[in-house]
Amino acid sequence: MLYQQIEYIKFLLKSSNQHGVHSPFVYQLVTKCFYKKTDHNFWNSFLKIRYHLLDNKKSIKVTDFGSGSKVFKNDEREVSKIAKVAGISNKKAKLLIRLVHFFQPKSVLEIGTSLGLGTSAIKIGNNNTKITTLEGCSETSTIAQELFIKNNFKSIDVHSGDFKETLPKAVINNKFDFIYFDGNHTKKATLEYFETCLQTINNNSVWVFDDIYWSKEMKETWLEIKAHPKVTVTVDVFYFGIVFLRNEQAKEHFKIRV
């Protein structure tokens, strides 16, 4: 927590708003998406789903293939507590909804379904998108699938199991317009996901990395991703790192307060 607080202060000192952006593409993203209010109906739909999970007192056994929880001390966890502690925050959900609504991706890959809150934000942002979402824990993904059925969300394929097995299968012969990386928060795993997903890109692909300042290791991961030759533009909003792989863009990196 202290590490993140220090990094946030550094971020505030180096970041800017739309007035510090000289790229027309990023300027439009900031003014038409970042600083636009989240649609009222979209947000009410998301809150309804969040409250449903917060009311779920069922306990499940969580299988964690990642770096583990900083809060939970055992694998028996109440759904409501997972939603409260580990679910996507309201601030992140609002921006994720706006990003998806702005770019209108036809196909989305999500690495890390959890209870389905992030997936729901994506679906709310563009109900017509087809989502492939991967979750390591079968019991967690069962809760997510029940959530999708309850809210009549169509075209969501949930795959359970270790990402080492499910991700290579998910990317075969697939092109994704939008990928949300919210899985294993370790450097080795995140860079492996990054490399594996490169085969899915098109010129308009948008990649969103969650918690890029979660740890020193994740910050190092973000710096390596920024330096990759296929990455042209990145936008750091502190809690998300957004990557673009547009051939026509000069390589530029932005830190934007949202």
Side-chain angles (χ1 to χ4, degrees), residues 77-228:
R77 302 170 191 175
E78 198 173 275
V79 171
S80 61
K81 291 181 180 178
I82 298 173
K84 183 178 180 179
V85 174
I88 188 171
S89 69
N90 284 352
K91 189 171 186 177
K92 289 181 182 180
K94 283 183 177 180
L95 183 55
L96 188 57
I97 289 170
R98 295 200 302 274
L99 281 166
V100 173
H101 188 65
F102 181 76
F103 287 107
Q104 291 289 299
K106 294 179 180 178
S107 58
V108 174
L109 173 64
E110 178 187 38
I111 304 174
T113 318
S114 188
L115 299 174
L117 269 176
T119 327
S120 298
I122 293 167
K123 197 65 178 174
I124 289 167
N126 179 17
N127 188 49
N128 295 320
T129 193
K130 183 181 185 300
I131 302 174
T132 300
T133 182
L134 313 180
E135 172 53 39
C137 174
S138 61
E139 291 201 29
T140 308
S141 65
T142 297
I143 298 295
Q145 289 180 77
E146 291 171 353
L147 187 73
F148 304 151
I149 293 170
K150 177 179 175 61
N151 289 278
N152 199 32
F153 288 154
K154 308 293 185 181
S155 300
I156 300 179
D157 295 325
V158 184
H159 301 274
S160 300
D162 194 328
F163 296 157
K164 292 178 182 178
E165 298 175 4
T166 58
L167 181 57
K169 293 178 182 177
V171 301
I172 293 176
N173 299 322
N174 275 324
K175 297 293 182 183
F176 294 104
D177 304 312
F178 193 104
I179 301 182
Y180 181 41
F181 295 81
D182 186 23
N184 186 331
H185 285 10
T186 63
K187 182 177 182 179
K188 182 175 183 294
T190 304
L191 290 177
E192 285 176 356
Y193 305 157
F194 173 86
E195 292 289 344
T196 300
C197 289
L198 283 173
Q199 63 187 281
T200 74
I201 64 174
N202 60 59
N203 200 53
N204 295 316
S205 294
V206 182
W207 289 8
V208 178
F209 290 84
D210 184 53
D211 287 336
I212 56 173
Y213 293 99
W214 193 75
S215 64
K216 182 180 179 182
E217 185 179 11
M218 281 301 292
K219 181 183 176 182
E220 291 172 356
T221 306
W222 175 239
L223 293 175
E224 287 199 27
I225 289 169
K226 287 170 62 178
H228 193 278

Side-chain angles (χ1 to χ4, degrees), residues 19-81:
H19 300 298
V21 174
H22 303 293
S23 162
F25 170 71
V26 177
Y27 183 84
Q28 185 179 42
L29 174 66
V30 173
T31 55
K32 303 294 185 182
C33 176
F34 287 3
Y35 293 164
K36 186 177 180 180
K37 286 189 176 181
T38 307
D39 182 278
H40 183 70
N41 292 327
F42 288 173
W43 189 238
N44 282 343
S45 295
F46 179 80
L47 288 179
K48 179 181 175 182
I49 292 169
R50 178 183 286 284
Y51 294 148
H52 170 75
L53 289 173
L54 290 173
D55 286 338
N56 189 337
K57 305 303 179 184
K58 178 181 178 181
S59 290
I60 61 174
K61 187 174 183 179
V62 175
T63 303
D64 196 336
F65 292 99
S67 54
S69 170
K70 292 183 177 181
V71 178
F72 296 108
K73 303 303 179 185
N74 57 63
D75 56 7
E76 286 286 342
R77 302 170 191 175
E78 198 173 275
V79 171
S80 61
K81 291 181 180 178

